[in-house]
mmCIF file of all heavy atoms in Angstrom:
data_model
loop_
_atom_site.group_PDB
_atom_site.id
_atom_site.type_symbol
_atom_site.label_atom_id
_atom_site.label_comp_id
_atom_site.label_asym_id
_atom_site.label_seq_id
_atom_site.Cartn_x
_atom_site.Cartn_y
_atom_site.Cartn_z
ATOM 1 N N LEU A 27 -39.362 -2.769 -27.600
ATOM 2 C CA LEU A 27 -38.426 -1.898 -28.303
ATOM 3 C C LEU A 27 -37.633 -1.018 -27.339
ATOM 4 O O LEU A 27 -36.420 -0.835 -27.487
ATOM 5 C CB LEU A 27 -39.158 -1.032 -29.327
ATOM 6 C CG LEU A 27 -39.721 -1.773 -30.538
ATOM 7 C CD1 LEU A 27 -40.572 -0.846 -31.405
ATOM 8 C CD2 LEU A 27 -38.599 -2.383 -31.356
ATOM 9 N N VAL A 28 -38.321 -0.464 -26.334
ATOM 10 C CA VAL A 28 -37.642 0.354 -25.331
ATOM 11 C C VAL A 28 -36.615 -0.468 -24.581
ATOM 12 O O VAL A 28 -35.474 -0.039 -24.375
ATOM 13 C CB VAL A 28 -38.669 0.990 -24.362
ATOM 14 C CG1 VAL A 28 -37.984 1.597 -23.151
ATOM 15 C CG2 VAL A 28 -39.500 2.045 -25.082
ATOM 16 N N ASN A 29 -36.972 -1.682 -24.192
ATOM 17 C CA ASN A 29 -36.046 -2.530 -23.452
ATOM 18 C C ASN A 29 -34.850 -2.978 -24.287
ATOM 19 O O ASN A 29 -33.744 -3.107 -23.773
ATOM 20 C CB ASN A 29 -36.778 -3.728 -22.845
ATOM 21 C CG ASN A 29 -37.521 -3.340 -21.585
ATOM 22 O OD1 ASN A 29 -36.946 -2.776 -20.673
ATOM 23 N ND2 ASN A 29 -38.809 -3.613 -21.553
ATOM 24 N N VAL A 30 -35.058 -3.198 -25.574
ATOM 25 C CA VAL A 30 -33.933 -3.539 -26.458
ATOM 26 C C VAL A 30 -32.969 -2.358 -26.530
ATOM 27 O O VAL A 30 -31.752 -2.531 -26.463
ATOM 28 C CB VAL A 30 -34.432 -3.947 -27.860
ATOM 29 C CG1 VAL A 30 -33.285 -3.945 -28.877
ATOM 30 C CG2 VAL A 30 -35.107 -5.296 -27.818
ATOM 31 N N GLY A 31 -33.502 -1.144 -26.633
ATOM 32 C CA GLY A 31 -32.651 0.061 -26.651
ATOM 33 C C GLY A 31 -31.854 0.207 -25.370
ATOM 34 O O GLY A 31 -30.658 0.527 -25.401
ATOM 35 N N ILE A 32 -32.497 -0.046 -24.243
ATOM 36 C CA ILE A 32 -31.805 0.012 -22.947
ATOM 37 C C ILE A 32 -30.712 -1.051 -22.877
ATOM 38 O O ILE A 32 -29.588 -0.781 -22.461
ATOM 39 C CB ILE A 32 -32.811 -0.143 -21.785
ATOM 40 C CG1 ILE A 32 -33.735 1.083 -21.718
ATOM 41 C CG2 ILE A 32 -32.087 -0.359 -20.465
ATOM 42 C CD1 ILE A 32 -34.912 0.912 -20.784
ATOM 43 N N TRP A 33 -31.038 -2.254 -23.300
ATOM 44 C CA TRP A 33 -30.079 -3.358 -23.294
ATOM 45 C C TRP A 33 -28.861 -3.018 -24.168
ATOM 46 O O TRP A 33 -27.722 -3.276 -23.779
ATOM 47 C CB TRP A 33 -30.770 -4.629 -23.770
ATOM 48 C CG TRP A 33 -29.863 -5.798 -23.909
ATOM 49 C CD1 TRP A 33 -29.328 -6.561 -22.906
ATOM 50 C CD2 TRP A 33 -29.373 -6.344 -25.117
ATOM 51 N NE1 TRP A 33 -28.528 -7.551 -23.425
ATOM 52 C CE2 TRP A 33 -28.541 -7.445 -24.795
ATOM 53 C CE3 TRP A 33 -29.544 -6.012 -26.473
ATOM 54 C CZ2 TRP A 33 -27.892 -8.204 -25.749
ATOM 55 C CZ3 TRP A 33 -28.898 -6.777 -27.412
ATOM 56 C CH2 TRP A 33 -28.096 -7.858 -27.059
ATOM 57 N N GLN A 34 -29.090 -2.401 -25.348
ATOM 58 C CA GLN A 34 -27.986 -2.038 -26.231
ATOM 59 C C GLN A 34 -27.083 -0.986 -25.571
ATOM 60 O O GLN A 34 -25.867 -1.056 -25.639
ATOM 61 C CB GLN A 34 -28.516 -1.509 -27.560
ATOM 62 C CG GLN A 34 -29.105 -2.592 -28.430
ATOM 63 C CD GLN A 34 -29.788 -2.035 -29.664
ATOM 64 O OE1 GLN A 34 -30.264 -0.904 -29.681
ATOM 65 N NE2 GLN A 34 -29.844 -2.855 -30.712
ATOM 66 N N ARG A 35 -27.695 0.008 -24.923
ATOM 67 C CA ARG A 35 -26.909 1.072 -24.254
ATOM 68 C C ARG A 35 -26.126 0.492 -23.068
ATOM 69 O O ARG A 35 -24.987 0.877 -22.843
ATOM 70 C CB ARG A 35 -27.819 2.207 -23.776
ATOM 71 C CG ARG A 35 -28.445 2.996 -24.888
ATOM 72 C CD ARG A 35 -27.403 3.741 -25.641
ATOM 73 N NE ARG A 35 -28.012 4.613 -26.616
ATOM 74 C CZ ARG A 35 -27.338 5.285 -27.515
ATOM 75 N NH1 ARG A 35 -26.031 5.204 -27.549
ATOM 76 N NH2 ARG A 35 -27.948 6.045 -28.380
ATOM 77 N N GLU A 36 -26.731 -0.417 -22.329
ATOM 78 C CA GLU A 36 -26.026 -1.056 -21.214
ATOM 79 C C GLU A 36 -24.831 -1.848 -21.730
ATOM 80 O O GLU A 36 -23.757 -1.837 -21.130
ATOM 81 C CB GLU A 36 -26.965 -1.973 -20.415
ATOM 82 C CG GLU A 36 -27.980 -1.231 -19.574
ATOM 83 C CD GLU A 36 -27.363 -0.490 -18.397
ATOM 84 O OE1 GLU A 36 -26.323 -0.936 -17.865
ATOM 85 O OE2 GLU A 36 -27.931 0.547 -18.018
ATOM 86 N N GLY A 37 -25.007 -2.530 -22.847
ATOM 87 C CA GLY A 37 -23.890 -3.269 -23.457
ATOM 88 C C GLY A 37 -22.781 -2.332 -23.891
ATOM 89 O O GLY A 37 -21.594 -2.645 -23.724
ATOM 90 N N LEU A 38 -23.132 -1.174 -24.423
ATOM 91 C CA LEU A 38 -22.135 -0.182 -24.828
ATOM 92 C C LEU A 38 -21.375 0.335 -23.610
ATOM 93 O O LEU A 38 -20.147 0.461 -23.641
ATOM 94 C CB LEU A 38 -22.811 0.968 -25.580
ATOM 95 C CG LEU A 38 -21.908 2.099 -26.079
ATOM 96 C CD1 LEU A 38 -20.757 1.557 -26.906
ATOM 97 C CD2 LEU A 38 -22.742 3.085 -26.882
ATOM 98 N N LEU A 39 -22.089 0.586 -22.518
ATOM 99 C CA LEU A 39 -21.428 1.034 -21.284
ATOM 100 C C LEU A 39 -20.473 -0.030 -20.754
ATOM 101 O O LEU A 39 -19.394 0.284 -20.257
ATOM 102 C CB LEU A 39 -22.465 1.399 -20.225
ATOM 103 C CG LEU A 39 -23.234 2.686 -20.432
ATOM 104 C CD1 LEU A 39 -24.343 2.805 -19.408
ATOM 105 C CD2 LEU A 39 -22.325 3.890 -20.388
ATOM 106 N N ASP A 40 -20.870 -1.286 -20.842
ATOM 107 C CA ASP A 40 -20.042 -2.380 -20.301
ATOM 108 C C ASP A 40 -18.865 -2.751 -21.202
ATOM 109 O O ASP A 40 -17.794 -3.115 -20.717
ATOM 110 C CB ASP A 40 -20.899 -3.635 -20.092
ATOM 111 C CG ASP A 40 -21.899 -3.476 -18.962
ATOM 112 O OD1 ASP A 40 -21.700 -2.596 -18.104
ATOM 113 O OD2 ASP A 40 -22.876 -4.250 -18.932
ATOM 114 N N HIS A 41 -19.048 -2.694 -22.537
ATOM 115 C CA HIS A 41 -18.060 -3.242 -23.448
ATOM 116 C C HIS A 41 -17.495 -2.245 -24.449
ATOM 117 O O HIS A 41 -16.613 -2.606 -25.239
ATOM 118 C CB HIS A 41 -18.655 -4.432 -24.215
ATOM 119 C CG HIS A 41 -19.234 -5.474 -23.312
ATOM 120 N ND1 HIS A 41 -18.448 -6.251 -22.487
ATOM 121 C CD2 HIS A 41 -20.517 -5.850 -23.083
ATOM 122 C CE1 HIS A 41 -19.238 -7.066 -21.789
ATOM 123 N NE2 HIS A 41 -20.497 -6.831 -22.135
ATOM 124 N N ALA A 153 -18.917 2.090 -29.475
ATOM 125 C CA ALA A 153 -19.192 0.764 -30.037
ATOM 126 C C ALA A 153 -18.427 0.599 -31.357
ATOM 127 O O ALA A 153 -17.938 1.577 -31.940
ATOM 128 C CB ALA A 153 -20.689 0.586 -30.274
ATOM 129 N N ILE A 159 -21.468 7.034 -26.197
ATOM 130 C CA ILE A 159 -22.163 7.575 -25.032
ATOM 131 C C ILE A 159 -21.147 8.353 -24.198
ATOM 132 O O ILE A 159 -20.067 7.819 -23.904
ATOM 133 C CB ILE A 159 -22.777 6.469 -24.161
ATOM 134 C CG1 ILE A 159 -23.854 5.714 -24.901
ATOM 135 C CG2 ILE A 159 -23.361 7.055 -22.873
ATOM 136 C CD1 ILE A 159 -24.420 4.545 -24.091
#
Side-chain angles (χ1 to χ4, degrees):
L27 290 173
V28 168
N29 281 307
V30 166
I32 292 169
W33 175 74
Q34 288 172 333
R35 292 294 186 187
E36 287 291 330
L38 180 53
L39 287 172
D40 291 340
H41 306 292
I159 296 176

